[in-house]
Amino acid sequence: MPFINKGFHAKRPTDGAHKLPPGQYETPDFPVLTAGPTPRIPLVNWEFRLEGLVENPVKWSWNEFSALPMQSFNPDIHCVTKWSKFDTKWRGVSLDTLLEHVQLKPEAKFVMAFSYGGYTTNLPLADLRNGQAFIGLEYDGKPLAPEHGGPARLVVPHLYFWKSAKWMQGLRFMAENEPGFWEDNGYSMRGDPWKEERYRSDDPDAPDEAHFRL
Ligand SMILES: Nc1nc2c(c(=O)[nH]1)N[C@H]1C(S)=C(S)[C@@H](COP(=O)(O)O)O[C@H]1N2
Ligand SMILES: [Mo]
């Protein structure tokens, strides 16, 4: 048995090679994982909001949002239930593009993503910048299916997939890190699959005793 040490982590590949984070297996499937029913939002009622610690809250209708510049992105995705899927094919709006529309207050350091249906998940703002995160509108050349979060979902592929909120309604900018739905139920505040941050007890600031949980 190798000695397991929280300071020793697998490395995310930087050369475009496919690689599995520790404890994951690859599947060609695209499983559906949803806590609760799939919300159906008529596009005429749909809106996307940026709110919280911003000087100018922003709101887009579907027509406005879907006219924003889109990019293709083909990430590997990693679910905390241990499946990984390589080379998924998306089109969507980069978070960098969305962030150009708001003037953030300087104390904004964290984000709560909130969804139609009530799901929430928290992320450090730094994890949404520099091409790391998108609002996905198309999958495999088609509008994103409702069960996978259509019409619009967050995709943050460098973190476990529960951070990629389906049926996105908006982002709330916060000064302090607050737990979302799964985080409140014991999952990691960050969820880096390469550091195997599955549970709150895996977080760097977790109390030492927590590392001995079964
Ligand atoms: N709104 C919402 N988003 C969600 C979830 C959810 O239950 N509701 N489940 C999360 C979890 S745990 C995972 S693994 C992925 C699953 O996405 P998929 O169903 O498209 O595979 O969505 C995430 N986003
Ligand atoms: Mo998940």
PDB file of all heavy atoms in Angstrom, residues 30-36 39 77-81 83 90 115-116 118-120 147-149 153 161-168 181-182, ligand 1:
ATOM      1  N   PHE A  30     -23.216   8.773 -21.260  1.00  0.00           N
ATOM      2  CA  PHE A  30     -23.394  10.081 -20.628  1.00  0.00           C
ATOM      3  C   PHE A  30     -24.523   9.909 -19.616  1.00  0.00           C
ATOM      4  O   PHE A  30     -25.687  10.152 -19.912  1.00  0.00           O
ATOM      5  CB  PHE A  30     -23.723  11.141 -21.678  1.00  0.00           C
ATOM      6  CG  PHE A  30     -23.591  12.564 -21.198  1.00  0.00           C
ATOM      7  CD1 PHE A  30     -23.719  13.618 -22.099  1.00  0.00           C
ATOM      8  CD2 PHE A  30     -23.338  12.890 -19.859  1.00  0.00           C
ATOM      9  CE1 PHE A  30     -23.591  14.948 -21.703  1.00  0.00           C
ATOM     10  CE2 PHE A  30     -23.207  14.201 -19.433  1.00  0.00           C
ATOM     11  CZ  PHE A  30     -23.333  15.238 -20.366  1.00  0.00           C
ATOM     12  N   PRO A  31     -24.177   9.395 -18.405  1.00  0.00           N
ATOM     13  CA  PRO A  31     -25.227   9.141 -17.408  1.00  0.00           C
ATOM     14  C   PRO A  31     -25.949  10.446 -17.036  1.00  0.00           C
ATOM     15  O   PRO A  31     -25.375  11.522 -17.162  1.00  0.00           O
ATOM     16  CB  PRO A  31     -24.439   8.616 -16.196  1.00  0.00           C
ATOM     17  CG  PRO A  31     -23.106   8.214 -16.722  1.00  0.00           C
ATOM     18  CD  PRO A  31     -22.835   9.099 -17.898  1.00  0.00           C
ATOM     19  N   VAL A  32     -27.194  10.320 -16.621  1.00  0.00           N
ATOM     20  CA  VAL A  32     -27.959  11.468 -16.126  1.00  0.00           C
ATOM     21  C   VAL A  32     -27.998  11.379 -14.608  1.00  0.00           C
ATOM     22  O   VAL A  32     -28.413  10.359 -14.058  1.00  0.00           O
ATOM     23  CB  VAL A  32     -29.393  11.473 -16.702  1.00  0.00           C
ATOM     24  CG1 VAL A  32     -30.244  12.546 -16.034  1.00  0.00           C
ATOM     25  CG2 VAL A  32     -29.358  11.695 -18.209  1.00  0.00           C
ATOM     26  N   LEU A  33     -27.519  12.417 -13.931  1.00  0.00           N
ATOM     27  CA  LEU A  33     -27.565  12.465 -12.468  1.00  0.00           C
ATOM     28  C   LEU A  33     -28.250  13.745 -12.025  1.00  0.00           C
ATOM     29  O   LEU A  33     -27.705  14.832 -12.189  1.00  0.00           O
ATOM     30  CB  LEU A  33     -26.155  12.401 -11.878  1.00  0.00           C
ATOM     31  CG  LEU A  33     -25.549  10.998 -11.867  1.00  0.00           C
ATOM     32  CD1 LEU A  33     -24.475  10.876 -12.906  1.00  0.00           C
ATOM     33  CD2 LEU A  33     -25.047  10.659 -10.493  1.00  0.00           C
ATOM     34  N   THR A  34     -29.443  13.601 -11.503  1.00  0.00           N
ATOM     35  CA  THR A  34     -30.221  14.753 -11.074  1.00  0.00           C
ATOM     36  C   THR A  34     -30.871  14.446  -9.741  1.00  0.00           C
ATOM     37  O   THR A  34     -31.460  13.373  -9.583  1.00  0.00           O
ATOM     38  CB  THR A  34     -31.341  15.063 -12.091  1.00  0.00           C
ATOM     39  OG1 THR A  34     -30.770  15.302 -13.369  1.00  0.00           O
ATOM     40  CG2 THR A  34     -32.131  16.284 -11.672  1.00  0.00           C
ATOM     41  N   ALA A  35     -30.749  15.382  -8.787  1.00  0.00           N
ATOM     42  CA  ALA A  35     -31.480  15.280  -7.532  1.00  0.00           C
ATOM     43  C   ALA A  35     -32.833  15.950  -7.739  1.00  0.00           C
ATOM     44  O   ALA A  35     -32.922  17.166  -7.717  1.00  0.00           O
ATOM     45  CB  ALA A  35     -30.701  15.963  -6.414  1.00  0.00           C
ATOM     46  N   GLY A  36     -33.869  15.165  -8.028  1.00  0.00           N
ATOM     47  CA  GLY A  36     -35.206  15.734  -8.233  1.00  0.00           C
ATOM     48  C   GLY A  36     -35.619  15.726  -9.689  1.00  0.00           C
ATOM     49  O   GLY A  36     -34.889  15.228 -10.547  1.00  0.00           O
ATOM     50  N   PRO A  39     -36.575  20.308 -14.404  1.00  0.00           N
ATOM     51  CA  PRO A  39     -37.436  21.478 -14.598  1.00  0.00           C
ATOM     52  C   PRO A  39     -37.604  21.804 -16.082  1.00  0.00           C
ATOM     53  O   PRO A  39     -36.666  21.618 -16.858  1.00  0.00           O
ATOM     54  CB  PRO A  39     -36.695  22.603 -13.866  1.00  0.00           C
ATOM     55  CG  PRO A  39     -35.327  22.130 -13.599  1.00  0.00           C
ATOM     56  CD  PRO A  39     -35.264  20.651 -13.833  1.00  0.00           C
ATOM     57  N   ILE A  77     -14.841  15.097 -18.752  1.00  0.00           N
ATOM     58  CA  ILE A  77     -15.617  15.451 -17.558  1.00  0.00           C
ATOM     59  C   ILE A  77     -15.544  14.315 -16.541  1.00  0.00           C
ATOM     60  O   ILE A  77     -15.421  13.141 -16.916  1.00  0.00           O
ATOM     61  CB  ILE A  77     -17.089  15.802 -17.914  1.00  0.00           C
ATOM     62  CG1 ILE A  77     -17.785  14.653 -18.659  1.00  0.00           C
ATOM     63  CG2 ILE A  77     -17.136  17.087 -18.731  1.00  0.00           C
ATOM     64  CD1 ILE A  77     -19.240  14.953 -19.018  1.00  0.00           C
ATOM     65  N   HIS A  78     -15.615  14.673 -15.274  1.00  0.00           N
ATOM     66  CA  HIS A  78     -15.353  13.730 -14.181  1.00  0.00           C
ATOM     67  C   HIS A  78     -16.420  13.868 -13.096  1.00  0.00           C
ATOM     68  O   HIS A  78     -16.517  14.909 -12.456  1.00  0.00           O
ATOM     69  CB  HIS A  78     -13.980  14.002 -13.580  1.00  0.00           C
ATOM     70  CG  HIS A  78     -12.887  14.122 -14.602  1.00  0.00           C
ATOM     71  ND1 HIS A  78     -12.442  13.043 -15.336  1.00  0.00           N
ATOM     72  CD2 HIS A  78     -12.183  15.194 -15.057  1.00  0.00           C
ATOM     73  CE1 HIS A  78     -11.497  13.441 -16.175  1.00  0.00           C
ATOM     74  NE2 HIS A  78     -11.318  14.743 -16.024  1.00  0.00           N
ATOM     75  N   CYS A  79     -17.218  12.815 -12.916  1.00  0.00           N
ATOM     76  CA  CYS A  79     -18.267  12.846 -11.891  1.00  0.00           C
ATOM     77  C   CYS A  79     -17.729  12.248 -10.596  1.00  0.00           C
ATOM     78  O   CYS A  79     -16.973  11.268 -10.628  1.00  0.00           O
ATOM     79  CB  CYS A  79     -19.489  12.061 -12.366  1.00  0.00           C
ATOM     80  SG  CYS A  79     -20.779  11.911 -11.114  1.00  0.00           S
ATOM     81  N   VAL A  80     -18.158  12.776  -9.473  1.00  0.00           N
ATOM     82  CA  VAL A  80     -17.679  12.293  -8.178  1.00  0.00           C
ATOM     83  C   VAL A  80     -18.133  10.853  -7.921  1.00  0.00           C
ATOM     84  O   VAL A  80     -17.532  10.143  -7.129  1.00  0.00           O
ATOM     85  CB  VAL A  80     -18.131  13.259  -7.050  1.00  0.00           C
ATOM     86  CG1 VAL A  80     -19.622  13.122  -6.774  1.00  0.00           C
ATOM     87  CG2 VAL A  80     -17.313  13.057  -5.784  1.00  0.00           C
ATOM     88  N   THR A  81     -19.180  10.371  -8.637  1.00  0.00           N
ATOM     89  CA  THR A  81     -19.582   8.969  -8.525  1.00  0.00           C
ATOM     90  C   THR A  81     -18.640   8.058  -9.332  1.00  0.00           C
ATOM     91  O   THR A  81     -18.920   6.869  -9.486  1.00  0.00           O
ATOM     92  CB  THR A  81     -21.041   8.743  -8.990  1.00  0.00           C
ATOM     93  OG1 THR A  81     -21.144   9.088 -10.373  1.00  0.00           O
ATOM     94  CG2 THR A  81     -22.017   9.570  -8.182  1.00  0.00           C
ATOM     95  N   TRP A  83     -17.450   8.069 -12.617  1.00  0.00           N
ATOM     96  CA  TRP A  83     -17.325   7.946 -14.074  1.00  0.00           C
ATOM     97  C   TRP A  83     -16.678   9.211 -14.629  1.00  0.00           C
ATOM     98  O   TRP A  83     -16.883  10.315 -14.124  1.00  0.00           O
ATOM     99  CB  TRP A  83     -18.667   7.666 -14.756  1.00  0.00           C
ATOM    100  CG  TRP A  83     -19.764   8.666 -14.532  1.00  0.00           C
ATOM    101  CD1 TRP A  83     -20.716   8.630 -13.553  1.00  0.00           C
ATOM    102  CD2 TRP A  83     -20.046   9.851 -15.308  1.00  0.00           C
ATOM    103  NE1 TRP A  83     -21.560   9.714 -13.659  1.00  0.00           N
ATOM    104  CE2 TRP A  83     -21.173  10.478 -14.730  1.00  0.00           C
ATOM    105  CE3 TRP A  83     -19.459  10.453 -16.430  1.00  0.00           C
ATOM    106  CZ2 TRP A  83     -21.734  11.665 -15.228  1.00  0.00           C
ATOM    107  CZ3 TRP A  83     -20.010  11.624 -16.928  1.00  0.00           C
ATOM    108  CH2 TRP A  83     -21.130  12.212 -16.323  1.00  0.00           C
ATOM    109  N   TRP A  90     -19.160  20.325 -26.923  1.00  0.00           N
ATOM    110  CA  TRP A  90     -20.077  21.389 -26.518  1.00  0.00           C
ATOM    111  C   TRP A  90     -19.884  22.640 -27.350  1.00  0.00           C
ATOM    112  O   TRP A  90     -18.825  22.875 -27.901  1.00  0.00           O
ATOM    113  CB  TRP A  90     -19.798  21.808 -25.067  1.00  0.00           C
ATOM    114  CG  TRP A  90     -19.906  20.738 -24.051  1.00  0.00           C
ATOM    115  CD1 TRP A  90     -18.949  19.821 -23.712  1.00  0.00           C
ATOM    116  CD2 TRP A  90     -21.033  20.469 -23.199  1.00  0.00           C
ATOM    117  NE1 TRP A  90     -19.415  19.006 -22.700  1.00  0.00           N
ATOM    118  CE2 TRP A  90     -20.681  19.384 -22.373  1.00  0.00           C
ATOM    119  CE3 TRP A  90     -22.297  21.051 -23.059  1.00  0.00           C
ATOM    120  CZ2 TRP A  90     -21.559  18.854 -21.421  1.00  0.00           C
ATOM    121  CZ3 TRP A  90     -23.157  20.531 -22.119  1.00  0.00           C
ATOM    122  CH2 TRP A  90     -22.793  19.441 -21.319  1.00  0.00           C
ATOM    123  N   SER A 115     -29.906  27.476 -10.012  1.00  0.00           N
ATOM    124  CA  SER A 115     -30.588  26.846 -11.136  1.00  0.00           C
ATOM    125  C   SER A 115     -32.095  26.915 -10.986  1.00  0.00           C
ATOM    126  O   SER A 115     -32.611  26.960  -9.859  1.00  0.00           O
ATOM    127  CB  SER A 115     -30.212  25.360 -11.195  1.00  0.00           C
ATOM    128  OG  SER A 115     -28.842  25.196 -11.420  1.00  0.00           O
ATOM    129  N   TYR A 116     -32.791  26.859 -12.102  1.00  0.00           N
ATOM    130  CA  TYR A 116     -34.226  26.561 -12.082  1.00  0.00           C
ATOM    131  C   TYR A 116     -34.405  25.219 -11.393  1.00  0.00           C
ATOM    132  O   TYR A 116     -33.644  24.286 -11.660  1.00  0.00           O
ATOM    133  CB  TYR A 116     -34.779  26.518 -13.503  1.00  0.00           C
ATOM    134  CG  TYR A 116     -34.851  27.889 -14.135  1.00  0.00           C
ATOM    135  CD1 TYR A 116     -33.851  28.338 -14.997  1.00  0.00           C
ATOM    136  CD2 TYR A 116     -35.903  28.742 -13.836  1.00  0.00           C
ATOM    137  CE1 TYR A 116     -33.910  29.605 -15.557  1.00  0.00           C
ATOM    138  CE2 TYR A 116     -35.969  30.022 -14.395  1.00  0.00           C
ATOM    139  CZ  TYR A 116     -34.979  30.436 -15.252  1.00  0.00           C
ATOM    140  OH  TYR A 116     -35.033  31.689 -15.797  1.00  0.00           O
ATOM    141  N   GLY A 118     -34.034  24.967  -8.098  1.00  0.00           N
ATOM    142  CA  GLY A 118     -33.531  25.192  -6.756  1.00  0.00           C
ATOM    143  C   GLY A 118     -32.127  24.691  -6.462  1.00  0.00           C
ATOM    144  O   GLY A 118     -31.582  24.948  -5.392  1.00  0.00           O
ATOM    145  N   TYR A 119     -31.500  23.955  -7.403  1.00  0.00           N
ATOM    146  CA  TYR A 119     -30.128  23.472  -7.188  1.00  0.00           C
ATOM    147  C   TYR A 119     -29.166  24.656  -7.090  1.00  0.00           C
ATOM    148  O   TYR A 119     -29.335  25.667  -7.778  1.00  0.00           O
ATOM    149  CB  TYR A 119     -29.729  22.597  -8.364  1.00  0.00           C
ATOM    150  CG  TYR A 119     -28.398  21.876  -8.243  1.00  0.00           C
ATOM    151  CD1 TYR A 119     -28.300  20.681  -7.551  1.00  0.00           C
ATOM    152  CD2 TYR A 119     -27.251  22.380  -8.860  1.00  0.00           C
ATOM    153  CE1 TYR A 119     -27.089  19.986  -7.468  1.00  0.00           C
ATOM    154  CE2 TYR A 119     -26.039  21.699  -8.782  1.00  0.00           C
ATOM    155  CZ  TYR A 119     -25.967  20.506  -8.086  1.00  0.00           C
ATOM    156  OH  TYR A 119     -24.775  19.829  -8.009  1.00  0.00           O
ATOM    157  N   THR A 120     -28.165  24.517  -6.222  1.00  0.00           N
ATOM    158  CA  THR A 120     -27.115  25.525  -6.121  1.00  0.00           C
ATOM    159  C   THR A 120     -25.770  24.820  -6.003  1.00  0.00           C
ATOM    160  O   THR A 120     -25.690  23.685  -5.521  1.00  0.00           O
ATOM    161  CB  THR A 120     -27.289  26.420  -4.871  1.00  0.00           C
ATOM    162  OG1 THR A 120     -27.380  25.571  -3.712  1.00  0.00           O
ATOM    163  CG2 THR A 120     -28.535  27.291  -4.965  1.00  0.00           C
ATOM    164  N   GLU A 147     -32.647  16.716 -19.978  1.00  0.00           N
ATOM    165  CA  GLU A 147     -32.120  15.914 -18.864  1.00  0.00           C
ATOM    166  C   GLU A 147     -30.663  16.229 -18.562  1.00  0.00           C
ATOM    167  O   GLU A 147     -30.186  15.980 -17.458  1.00  0.00           O
ATOM    168  CB  GLU A 147     -32.322  14.403 -19.117  1.00  0.00           C
ATOM    169  CG  GLU A 147     -31.564  13.845 -20.303  1.00  0.00           C
ATOM    170  CD  GLU A 147     -32.375  13.872 -21.598  1.00  0.00           C
ATOM    171  OE1 GLU A 147     -33.282  14.725 -21.744  1.00  0.00           O
ATOM    172  OE2 GLU A 147     -32.083  13.028 -22.470  1.00  0.00           O
ATOM    173  N   HIS A 148     -29.941  16.805 -19.524  1.00  0.00           N
ATOM    174  CA  HIS A 148     -28.549  17.203 -19.284  1.00  0.00           C
ATOM    175  C   HIS A 148     -28.426  18.694 -18.949  1.00  0.00           C
ATOM    176  O   HIS A 148     -27.321  19.236 -18.948  1.00  0.00           O
ATOM    177  CB  HIS A 148     -27.669  16.847 -20.475  1.00  0.00           C
ATOM    178  CG  HIS A 148     -27.376  15.373 -20.588  1.00  0.00           C
ATOM    179  ND1 HIS A 148     -26.729  14.668 -19.597  1.00  0.00           N
ATOM    180  CD2 HIS A 148     -27.661  14.482 -21.571  1.00  0.00           C
ATOM    181  CE1 HIS A 148     -26.615  13.400 -19.967  1.00  0.00           C
ATOM    182  NE2 HIS A 148     -27.185  13.256 -21.156  1.00  0.00           N
ATOM    183  N   GLY A 149     -29.571  19.349 -18.704  1.00  0.00           N
ATOM    184  CA  GLY A 149     -29.493  20.731 -18.215  1.00  0.00           C
ATOM    185  C   GLY A 149     -29.941  21.785 -19.187  1.00  0.00           C
ATOM    186  O   GLY A 149     -29.797  22.976 -18.914  1.00  0.00           O
ATOM    187  N   ARG A 153     -26.591  25.106 -19.282  1.00  0.00           N
ATOM    188  CA  ARG A 153     -25.989  24.630 -18.032  1.00  0.00           C
ATOM    189  C   ARG A 153     -24.567  25.160 -17.904  1.00  0.00           C
ATOM    190  O   ARG A 153     -23.907  25.443 -18.894  1.00  0.00           O
ATOM    191  CB  ARG A 153     -25.960  23.110 -17.985  1.00  0.00           C
ATOM    192  CG  ARG A 153     -24.753  22.519 -18.695  1.00  0.00           C
ATOM    193  CD  ARG A 153     -24.660  21.021 -18.596  1.00  0.00           C
ATOM    194  NE  ARG A 153     -24.360  20.563 -17.250  1.00  0.00           N
ATOM    195  CZ  ARG A 153     -24.411  19.282 -16.897  1.00  0.00           C
ATOM    196  NH1 ARG A 153     -24.748  18.365 -17.787  1.00  0.00           N
ATOM    197  NH2 ARG A 153     -24.118  18.929 -15.675  1.00  0.00           N
ATOM    198  N   PHE A 161     -18.117  17.097 -11.662  1.00  0.00           N
ATOM    199  CA  PHE A 161     -19.236  17.553 -12.504  1.00  0.00           C
ATOM    200  C   PHE A 161     -20.440  18.052 -11.706  1.00  0.00           C
ATOM    201  O   PHE A 161     -21.338  18.662 -12.292  1.00  0.00           O
ATOM    202  CB  PHE A 161     -19.628  16.423 -13.461  1.00  0.00           C
ATOM    203  CG  PHE A 161     -20.139  16.904 -14.795  1.00  0.00           C
ATOM    204  CD1 PHE A 161     -19.569  17.990 -15.453  1.00  0.00           C
ATOM    205  CD2 PHE A 161     -21.203  16.254 -15.415  1.00  0.00           C
ATOM    206  CE1 PHE A 161     -20.038  18.421 -16.684  1.00  0.00           C
ATOM    207  CE2 PHE A 161     -21.685  16.673 -16.653  1.00  0.00           C
ATOM    208  CZ  PHE A 161     -21.107  17.760 -17.278  1.00  0.00           C
ATOM    209  N   TRP A 162     -20.487  17.810 -10.377  1.00  0.00           N
ATOM    210  CA  TRP A 162     -21.627  18.381  -9.642  1.00  0.00           C
ATOM    211  C   TRP A 162     -21.541  19.904  -9.609  1.00  0.00           C
ATOM    212  O   TRP A 162     -22.537  20.572  -9.370  1.00  0.00           O
ATOM    213  CB  TRP A 162     -21.771  17.780  -8.237  1.00  0.00           C
ATOM    214  CG  TRP A 162     -20.995  18.443  -7.139  1.00  0.00           C
ATOM    215  CD1 TRP A 162     -21.338  19.615  -6.497  1.00  0.00           C
ATOM    216  CD2 TRP A 162     -19.780  18.005  -6.531  1.00  0.00           C
ATOM    217  NE1 TRP A 162     -20.399  19.912  -5.536  1.00  0.00           N
ATOM    218  CE2 TRP A 162     -19.437  18.944  -5.536  1.00  0.00           C
ATOM    219  CE3 TRP A 162     -18.945  16.902  -6.731  1.00  0.00           C
ATOM    220  CZ2 TRP A 162     -18.287  18.810  -4.750  1.00  0.00           C
ATOM    221  CZ3 TRP A 162     -17.812  16.781  -5.944  1.00  0.00           C
ATOM    222  CH2 TRP A 162     -17.489  17.712  -4.978  1.00  0.00           C
ATOM    223  N   LYS A 163     -20.314  20.462  -9.853  1.00  0.00           N
ATOM    224  CA  LYS A 163     -20.164  21.922  -9.905  1.00  0.00           C
ATOM    225  C   LYS A 163     -20.774  22.484 -11.200  1.00  0.00           C
ATOM    226  O   LYS A 163     -20.969  23.694 -11.310  1.00  0.00           O
ATOM    227  CB  LYS A 163     -18.692  22.305  -9.821  1.00  0.00           C
ATOM    228  CG  LYS A 163     -17.992  21.875  -8.540  1.00  0.00           C
ATOM    229  CD  LYS A 163     -18.410  22.737  -7.343  1.00  0.00           C
ATOM    230  CE  LYS A 163     -17.669  22.329  -6.082  1.00  0.00           C
ATOM    231  NZ  LYS A 163     -18.064  23.164  -4.921  1.00  0.00           N
ATOM    232  N   SER A 164     -21.037  21.625 -12.180  1.00  0.00           N
ATOM    233  CA  SER A 164     -21.588  22.065 -13.462  1.00  0.00           C
ATOM    234  C   SER A 164     -23.116  22.038 -13.386  1.00  0.00           C
ATOM    235  O   SER A 164     -23.767  21.084 -13.826  1.00  0.00           O
ATOM    236  CB  SER A 164     -21.074  21.163 -14.588  1.00  0.00           C
ATOM    237  OG  SER A 164     -19.673  21.317 -14.751  1.00  0.00           O
ATOM    238  N   ALA A 165     -23.667  23.095 -12.801  1.00  0.00           N
ATOM    239  CA  ALA A 165     -25.109  23.162 -12.533  1.00  0.00           C
ATOM    240  C   ALA A 165     -25.923  23.131 -13.819  1.00  0.00           C
ATOM    241  O   ALA A 165     -25.637  23.874 -14.766  1.00  0.00           O
ATOM    242  CB  ALA A 165     -25.430  24.421 -11.732  1.00  0.00           C
ATOM    243  N   LYS A 166     -26.917  22.250 -13.842  1.00  0.00           N
ATOM    244  CA  LYS A 166     -27.840  22.174 -14.974  1.00  0.00           C
ATOM    245  C   LYS A 166     -28.959  23.216 -14.799  1.00  0.00           C
ATOM    246  O   LYS A 166     -29.210  23.682 -13.701  1.00  0.00           O
ATOM    247  CB  LYS A 166     -28.430  20.764 -15.064  1.00  0.00           C
ATOM    248  CG  LYS A 166     -27.325  19.682 -15.115  1.00  0.00           C
ATOM    249  CD  LYS A 166     -27.825  18.339 -15.596  1.00  0.00           C
ATOM    250  CE  LYS A 166     -28.413  17.496 -14.492  1.00  0.00           C
ATOM    251  NZ  LYS A 166     -28.629  16.086 -14.978  1.00  0.00           N
ATOM    252  N   TRP A 167     -29.634  23.555 -15.892  1.00  0.00           N
ATOM    253  CA  TRP A 167     -30.771  24.519 -15.880  1.00  0.00           C
ATOM    254  C   TRP A 167     -30.403  25.833 -15.214  1.00  0.00           C
ATOM    255  O   TRP A 167     -31.093  26.352 -14.334  1.00  0.00           O
ATOM    256  CB  TRP A 167     -32.000  23.897 -15.181  1.00  0.00           C
ATOM    257  CG  TRP A 167     -32.253  22.539 -15.683  1.00  0.00           C
ATOM    258  CD1 TRP A 167     -32.627  22.199 -16.951  1.00  0.00           C
ATOM    259  CD2 TRP A 167     -32.076  21.307 -14.975  1.00  0.00           C
ATOM    260  NE1 TRP A 167     -32.707  20.836 -17.059  1.00  0.00           N
ATOM    261  CE2 TRP A 167     -32.375  20.269 -15.869  1.00  0.00           C
ATOM    262  CE3 TRP A 167     -31.706  20.992 -13.660  1.00  0.00           C
ATOM    263  CZ2 TRP A 167     -32.317  18.934 -15.503  1.00  0.00           C
ATOM    264  CZ3 TRP A 167     -31.634  19.671 -13.291  1.00  0.00           C
ATOM    265  CH2 TRP A 167     -31.937  18.661 -14.201  1.00  0.00           C
ATOM    266  N   MET A 168     -29.294  26.397 -15.649  1.00  0.00           N
ATOM    267  CA  MET A 168     -28.777  27.602 -15.006  1.00  0.00           C
ATOM    268  C   MET A 168     -29.750  28.771 -15.087  1.00  0.00           C
ATOM    269  O   MET A 168     -30.382  29.025 -16.109  1.00  0.00           O
ATOM    270  CB  MET A 168     -27.462  28.009 -15.679  1.00  0.00           C
ATOM    271  CG  MET A 168     -26.276  27.246 -15.150  1.00  0.00           C
ATOM    272  SD  MET A 168     -25.894  27.679 -13.444  1.00  0.00           S
ATOM    273  CE  MET A 168     -25.162  29.273 -13.724  1.00  0.00           C
ATOM    274  N   PHE A 181     -25.868  23.094  -2.642  1.00  0.00           N
ATOM    275  CA  PHE A 181     -26.682  21.924  -2.290  1.00  0.00           C
ATOM    276  C   PHE A 181     -25.847  20.724  -1.865  1.00  0.00           C
ATOM    277  O   PHE A 181     -25.963  20.228  -0.747  1.00  0.00           O
ATOM    278  CB  PHE A 181     -27.590  21.560  -3.482  1.00  0.00           C
ATOM    279  CG  PHE A 181     -28.380  20.300  -3.270  1.00  0.00           C
ATOM    280  CD1 PHE A 181     -29.506  20.303  -2.458  1.00  0.00           C
ATOM    281  CD2 PHE A 181     -27.998  19.105  -3.874  1.00  0.00           C
ATOM    282  CE1 PHE A 181     -30.228  19.128  -2.249  1.00  0.00           C
ATOM    283  CE2 PHE A 181     -28.718  17.938  -3.672  1.00  0.00           C
ATOM    284  CZ  PHE A 181     -29.836  17.953  -2.855  1.00  0.00           C
ATOM    285  N   TRP A 182     -24.943  20.238  -2.728  1.00  0.00           N
ATOM    286  CA  TRP A 182     -24.170  19.040  -2.378  1.00  0.00           C
ATOM    287  C   TRP A 182     -23.097  19.358  -1.340  1.00  0.00           C
ATOM    288  O   TRP A 182     -22.767  18.517  -0.499  1.00  0.00           O
ATOM    289  CB  TRP A 182     -23.535  18.393  -3.617  1.00  0.00           C
ATOM    290  CG  TRP A 182     -24.507  17.563  -4.399  1.00  0.00           C
ATOM    291  CD1 TRP A 182     -24.892  17.744  -5.694  1.00  0.00           C
ATOM    292  CD2 TRP A 182     -25.233  16.405  -3.930  1.00  0.00           C
ATOM    293  NE1 TRP A 182     -25.808  16.795  -6.056  1.00  0.00           N
ATOM    294  CE2 TRP A 182     -26.041  15.960  -4.995  1.00  0.00           C
ATOM    295  CE3 TRP A 182     -25.280  15.724  -2.712  1.00  0.00           C
ATOM    296  CZ2 TRP A 182     -26.884  14.854  -4.890  1.00  0.00           C
ATOM    297  CZ3 TRP A 182     -26.118  14.625  -2.599  1.00  0.00           C
ATOM    298  CH2 TRP A 182     -26.906  14.211  -3.684  1.00  0.00           C
TER     299      TRP A 182
HETATM  300  N1  LIG B   1     -29.576  21.695 -11.415  1.00  0.00           N
HETATM  301  C1  LIG B   1     -28.848  20.590 -11.204  1.00  0.00           C
HETATM  302  N2  LIG B   1     -27.603  20.531 -11.701  1.00  0.00           N
HETATM  303  C2  LIG B   1     -26.841  19.435 -11.503  1.00  0.00           C
HETATM  304  C3  LIG B   1     -27.327  18.350 -10.740  1.00  0.00           C
HETATM  305  C4  LIG B   1     -28.646  18.436 -10.236  1.00  0.00           C
HETATM  306  O1  LIG B   1     -29.144  17.520  -9.564  1.00  0.00           O
HETATM  307  N3  LIG B   1     -29.380  19.563 -10.494  1.00  0.00           N
HETATM  308  N4  LIG B   1     -26.520  17.231 -10.543  1.00  0.00           N
HETATM  309  C5  LIG B   1     -25.079  17.469 -10.638  1.00  0.00           C
HETATM  310  C6  LIG B   1     -24.332  16.225 -10.651  1.00  0.00           C
HETATM  311  S1  LIG B   1     -24.123  15.438  -9.184  1.00  0.00           S
HETATM  312  C7  LIG B   1     -23.723  15.772 -11.787  1.00  0.00           C
HETATM  313  S2  LIG B   1     -22.682  14.444 -11.771  1.00  0.00           S
HETATM  314  C8  LIG B   1     -23.989  16.391 -13.095  1.00  0.00           C
HETATM  315  C9  LIG B   1     -24.594  15.352 -13.994  1.00  0.00           C
HETATM  316  O2  LIG B   1     -24.830  15.907 -15.253  1.00  0.00           O
HETATM  317  P1  LIG B   1     -25.524  14.989 -16.341  1.00  0.00           P
HETATM  318  O3  LIG B   1     -26.831  14.526 -15.764  1.00  0.00           O
HETATM  319  O4  LIG B   1     -25.658  15.833 -17.539  1.00  0.00           O
HETATM  320  O5  LIG B   1     -24.576  13.832 -16.539  1.00  0.00           O
HETATM  321  O6  LIG B   1     -24.877  17.493 -13.011  1.00  0.00           O
HETATM  322  C10 LIG B   1     -24.724  18.295 -11.880  1.00  0.00           C
HETATM  323  N5  LIG B   1     -25.592  19.422 -12.023  1.00  0.00           N
END
